[in-house]
Amino acid sequence: MHITRTVFREDHEMFRDTARRFLDKECLPRQAQWDEAGFVDRETWLKAGREGLLCVTLPEEYGGGGGDFGHSTVFNEEVARSGASGLGFGMHSDIIAPYILRIGNEEQKMKWLPGAASGELILAIAMTEPGTGSDLKAVRTTAVREGDEYVINGSKTFISNGLTADLVIVVCKTDTSAGAKGITLIAVETTRAGFRRGNKLKKLGQYAQDTAELFFDNVRVPVANRLGEEGKGFGYLMGELPQERFAIAVGAAARLERSLELTVEYVKQRKAFDQTVWDFQNTRFKLADIKAQAIAVRLMIDHYLGEHMRRRLTLEESAIAKLYATEALGKALDEMVQLHGGYGYMLEYPVARDFVDARVNRIYGGTSEVMRELISRKL
Ligand SMILES: Cc1cc2nc3c(=O)[nH]c(=O)nc-3n(C[C@H](O)[C@H](O)[C@H](O)COP(=O)(O)OP(=O)(O)OC[C@H]3O[C@@H](n4cnc5c(N)ncnc54)[C@H](O)[C@@H]3O)c2cc1C
């Protein structure tokens, strides 16, 4: 994109090389197999752990890489640039492990984080239910305290890493009459009696991303599995959601740049009416608009990345980043599919994969409408 980026240090760029090598060697050759299976195999998780690509921001004492969000961003960008689809590593490392790090006690951190960093313990977070997604405080899964245990009942849906997860952070109601103040986070090992996974959900895109329904039927977990305090779960979720949303925006920015590059290459060699598709003014104007958008997105993302690395990114700013970057990507991909003609509809072309994979960016982590709601509250 010919923009000088000032957010990264030399160690970030070295980490980029490791990430790129891993994606080229270990992921792209397995993509078709993962797409078919609907999940990424455990061996690849373990290899990623050995290469230091999981939980890169966790302190070394918990088995992590001792890096910062710049390292996570580098990995996220390289995944988008490589075209690898459906890896659940970002969710695991940058969204779920941080809950345990920030609100878990020492015993919980020592118990779960080293396995998360090595890939032996795959993590998921279960907020969404069949009856509620955007309105988190309306969850109906209950956790009733009996002595030194909680008994959990309910169901969750659309849970990323749900099929393979070993530990799920479940958003429960410990007080059904208290609304948001009745929400508690409880970590549930998937080996517990009464826990069941549904079938693999068939999705529009991201075929290799394992997305599942989870069922909890009188699942008993020790009170020691509770993360943080009872009734404070909603506040913890609000504290971590900015990073989740910003990570989605970071991936969208990188995907926009890659798709633009590939589309320019494609239209410059594709012939129609004795000229290249690039030679039509319509094509060049469309791509010029997309480049202008991509630059605007890049500048915004790098500015907010700097803010986030200084731990200053607000809920509103992360909503702005997610809304702007994912909407820009969605609209641009639609145009770029069009510029590919029929090939743009064929999944073997990266633009088609990006088109279907990126659609969910405007839905998960909070929909674009919810982002607009959050932004408008500060106007
Ligand atoms: C592939 C995939 C992976 C996912 N992974 C996870 C996961 O790992 N863990 C997890 O907990 N969840 C996950 N989700 C769920 C995701 O976060 C929700 O789907 C999302 O938050 C929207 O909730 P919903 O589907 O219930 O839609 P609804 O809340 O029913 O929304 C329906 C429509 O109403 C609109 N709407 C809702 N509220 C408002 C409002 N206040 N103002 C204006 N419009 C509004 C929405 O924008 C949307 O257009 C995943 C979803 C997908 C598709």
Side-chain angles (χ1 to χ4, degrees):
M1 291 286 292
H2 312 297
I3 279 194
T4 308
R5 304 184 66 187
T6 53
V7 271
F8 297 118
R9 301 183 303 262
E10 209 182 319
D11 57 311
H12 291 129
E13 294 306 337
M14 281 164 63
F15 184 69
R16 192 183 293 282
D17 290 340
T18 310
R20 199 169 284 182
R21 262 199 316 277
F22 177 81
L23 288 159
D24 287 346
K25 183 163 164 259
E26 306 292 348
C27 299
L28 297 184
R30 290 183 177 78
Q31 186 70 55
Q33 172 197 323
W34 297 341
D35 288 347
E36 186 66 30
F39 62 90
V40 171
D41 61 89
R42 174 75 62 151
E43 191 45 42
T44 304
W45 281 86
L46 295 171
K47 278 184 196 152
R50 286 197 290 274
E51 293 277 337
L53 294 167
L54 297 178
C55 300
V56 66
T57 62
L58 284 186
E60 288 170 14
E61 64 205 272
Y62 302 121
D68 58 25
F69 194 72
H71 296 93
S72 303
T73 297
V74 160
F75 189 65
N76 190 346
E77 288 181 352
E78 288 308 312
V79 170
R81 291 212 176 103
S82 73
S85 167
L87 284 175
F89 298 171
M91 185 84 189
H92 167 94
S93 303
D94 303 325
I95 294 165
I96 312 170
Y99 278 99
I100 301 174
L101 181 70
R102 301 223 171 96
I103 54 176
N105 57 36
E106 202 48 35
E107 197 185 323
Q108 292 170 330
K109 290 184 210 179
M110 291 310 290
K111 190 170 166 197
W112 294 319
L113 291 179
S118 69
E120 283 157 301
L121 192 89
I122 298 178
L123 306 174
I125 185 156
M127 304 180 244
T128 307
E129 300 186 353
T132 192
S134 302
D135 186 8
L136 253 180
K137 66 178 182 325
V139 294
R140 294 175 64 179
T141 297
T142 53
V144 176
R145 186 151 178 177
E146 283 185 13
D148 58 2
E149 289 182 324
Y150 284 109
V151 183
I152 302 178
N153 278 290
S155 59
K156 299 285 180 179
T157 194
F158 308 147
I159 306 308
S160 304
N161 298 343
L163 286 179
T164 43
D166 303 290
L167 187 77
V168 183
I169 298 180
V170 186
V171 176
C172 300
K173 276 273 169 72
T174 38
D175 180 349
T176 50
S177 61
K181 293 196 173 118
I183 290 180
T184 301
L185 306 187
I186 301 178
V188 178
E189 294 90 348
T190 54
T191 47
R192 296 217 172 251
F195 170 80
R196 189 168 59 82
R197 308 174 207 259
N199 293 328
K200 173 178 98 182
L201 297 171
K202 288 191 181 160
K203 307 192 294 296
L204 186 66
Q206 302 217 9
Y207 311 118
Q209 191 215 42
D210 124 27
T211 312
E213 284 175 289
L214 306 179
F215 302 98
F216 302 84
D217 183 11
N218 286 318
V219 179
R220 290 183 171 269
V221 293
V223 168
N225 276 28
R226 189 184 68 221
L227 284 173
E229 290 177 45
E230 203 170 275
K232 295 249 171 98
F234 195 78
Y236 299 139
L237 292 167
M238 291 305 118
E240 295 303 319
L241 280 172
Q243 176 154 309
E244 171 169 2
R245 289 172 182 155
F246 187 60
I248 295 170
V250 162
R255 218 165 266 267
L256 179 54
E257 290 167 354
R258 162 189 126 104
S259 306
L260 174 59
E261 235 173 81
L262 293 176
T263 304
V264 169
E265 256 172 48
Y266 179 82
V267 296
K268 283 190 174 173
Q269 58 77 35
R270 177 73 181 168
K271 295 266 175 36
F273 298 96
D274 298 325
Q275 52 187 329
T276 66
V277 172
W278 169 256
D279 292 322
F280 301 123
Q281 189 190 51
N282 175 64
T283 304
R284 286 179 281 111
F285 279 17
K286 288 254 149 83
L287 291 172
D289 281 345
I290 293 171
K291 172 144 189 185
Q293 274 274 287
I295 298 275
V297 169
R298 169 56 54 221
L299 293 173
M300 175 192 276
I301 294 298
D302 279 8
H303 167 70
Y304 283 150
L305 176 57
E307 290 296 279
H308 190 48
M309 283 164 76
R310 290 185 282 274
R311 300 205 65 79
R312 291 203 306 230
L313 189 75
T314 64
L315 192 68
E316 182 205 13
E317 288 166 338
S318 67
I320 292 173
K322 181 177 187 286
L323 175 69
Y324 195 74
T326 62
E327 289 288 334
L329 175 64
K331 286 175 191 134
L333 280 170
D334 188 51
E335 298 282 13
M336 291 189 280
V337 164
Q338 191 69 17
L339 292 175
H340 277 73
Y343 294 98
Y345 200 65
M346 298 299 133
L347 281 178
E348 70 188 271
Y349 277 74
V351 75
R353 280 300 291 249
D354 281 344
F355 180 70
V356 290
D357 280 0
R359 185 62 187 88
V360 76
N361 283 340
R362 293 185 266 167
I363 296 171
Y364 62 17
T367 64
S368 286
E369 291 71 34
V370 169
M371 297 306 105
R372 292 186 179 103
E373 188 60 44
L374 290 169
I375 298 163
S376 66
R377 276 183 207 160
K378 293 275 176 185
L379 286 176

